[in-house]
């Protein structure tokens, strides 16, 4: 079994004007594809690992042979992180037409309020964490084994799954995710990104 680049659930221009079509296209067919290809290349020598879903590989990195451990962490992480990223986003016009809220609702909203204060407090903490990442990485809303929510950041393409955490929502703050449109203005990219978060999907992951 070879890992494959997943199709996006929307067109490249669906997230305009918040995330531009050119960035989406390069991010998907160049960057994400490269993680998939390099993961497959790393697994070539190990047919028994090729059968395992990427989540399983990342959950137990210690079981991965030493000579490909870093490649699986980087490229398996890159593959899984991006797969989560695409499906965490939704076209803002589609969401508006369907009357979808730009905020979480239900049990997830309650848990966010319980752990972080108001939704605006959560956004502020999450954004501060994203702005504060030195170099390339991700910031995440995760659930631990007891169901408690945390904001964590990971360097490079490290996955929260490898720390026993369940990622609900992740923000890619590698420059390749925003540089064409926002250049060095990472904070502006983060602020725009909230407008395309698919809270319905995040709620499903939480439940
Ligand atoms: Mn990326």
């Amino acid at each position: 079994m070879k890992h494959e680049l997943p199709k996006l659930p929307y067109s490249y221009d669906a997230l305009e004007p918040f995330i531009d079509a050119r960035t989406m296209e390069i991010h998907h067919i160049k960057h994400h594809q490269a993680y998939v290809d390099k993961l497959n290349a790393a697994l070539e020598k190990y047919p028994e690992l090729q059968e395992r879903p990427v989540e399983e590989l990342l959950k137990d990195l210690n079981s991965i042979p030493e000579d490909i451990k870093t490649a699986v962490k980087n490229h398996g992480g890159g593959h899984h992180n991006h797969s989560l990223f695409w499906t965490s986003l939704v076209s803002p016009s589609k969401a508006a037409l369907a009357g979808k809220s730009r905020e979480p609702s239900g049990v997830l909203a309650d848990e966010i309020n319980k752990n972080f204060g108001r939704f605006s407090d959560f956004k502020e903490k999450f954004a501060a964490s994203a702005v504060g990442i030195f170099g390339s990485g991700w910031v995440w809303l995760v659930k631990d084994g007891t169901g408690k929510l945390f904001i964590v950041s990971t360097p490079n393409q490290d996955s929260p799954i490898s720390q026993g955490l369940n990622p609900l929502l992740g923000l890619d703050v590698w420059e390749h995710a925003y540089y064409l449109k926002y250049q060095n203005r990472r904070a502006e990219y983060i602020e725009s990104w909230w407008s395309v978060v698919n809270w319905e999907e995040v709620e499903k992951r939480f439940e």
Side-chain angles (χ1 to χ4, degrees):
M1 182 189 82
K2 289 237 179 214
H3 294 278
E4 284 179 8
L5 183 70
K7 285 205 166 63
L8 294 192
Y10 38 70
S11 59
Y12 288 129
D13 63 359
L15 308 181
E16 295 263 13
F18 303 104
I19 303 180
D20 62 289
R22 186 80 179 123
T23 296
M24 287 299 291
E25 184 177 2
I26 296 172
H27 202 171
H28 182 236
I29 59 169
K30 300 292 182 196
H31 292 279
H32 190 169
Q33 181 74 61
Y35 295 121
V36 171
D37 292 345
K38 288 175 183 170
L39 173 63
N40 283 328
L43 296 175
E44 228 154 58
K45 271 170 56 189
Y46 296 95
E48 70 282 9
L49 293 183
Q50 290 171 11
E51 301 309 315
R52 287 166 62 179
V54 67
E55 291 88 345
E56 272 184 35
L57 300 174
L58 294 169
K59 241 177 225 170
D60 194 10
L61 280 176
N62 285 330
S63 73
I64 306 296
E66 211 51 51
D67 62 328
I68 61 163
K69 194 180 286 183
T70 301
V72 168
K73 180 169 81 135
N74 290 343
H75 305 301
H79 175 32
H80 191 255
N81 291 343
H82 286 86
S83 299
L84 272 178
F85 186 64
W86 310 130
T87 50
S88 304
L89 305 177
V90 66
S91 161
S93 53
K94 228 185 206 170
L97 281 175
K100 294 277 187 318
S101 172
R102 303 285 75 226
E103 294 188 8
S105 59
V107 199
L108 177 61
D110 295 343
E111 278 304 305
I112 286 179
N113 294 338
K114 204 166 93 190
N115 284 282
F116 306 106
R118 289 169 307 174
F119 180 60
S120 56
D121 297 327
F122 160 73
K123 276 171 75 177
E124 217 169 273
K125 278 178 196 149
F126 191 95
S129 178
V131 166
I133 291 175
F134 183 73
S136 297
W138 292 72
V139 59
W140 304 93
L141 173 65
V142 300
K143 189 171 85 165
D144 73 1
T146 70
K148 190 171 160 57
L149 297 179
F150 295 92
I151 294 169
V152 299
S153 62
T154 55
N156 307 311
Q157 293 296 349
D158 291 11
S159 167
I161 288 182
S162 304
Q163 300 168 35
L165 299 167
N166 185 2
L168 306 177
L169 174 67
L171 170 57
D172 186 347
V173 294
W174 282 57
E175 282 189 343
H176 70 224
Y178 64 87
Y179 203 83
L180 284 182
K181 183 176 170 80
Y182 296 98
Q183 291 87 46
N184 61 324
R185 304 186 306 277
R186 184 192 282 183
E188 207 179 299
Y189 156 68
I190 296 164
E191 184 54 35
S192 295
W193 174 80
W194 291 115
S195 300
V196 292
V197 171
N198 187 348
W199 284 108
E200 207 176 34
E201 181 60 31
V202 180
E203 283 159 27
K204 270 188 217 150
R205 288 176 192 163
F206 175 70
E207 287 155 18

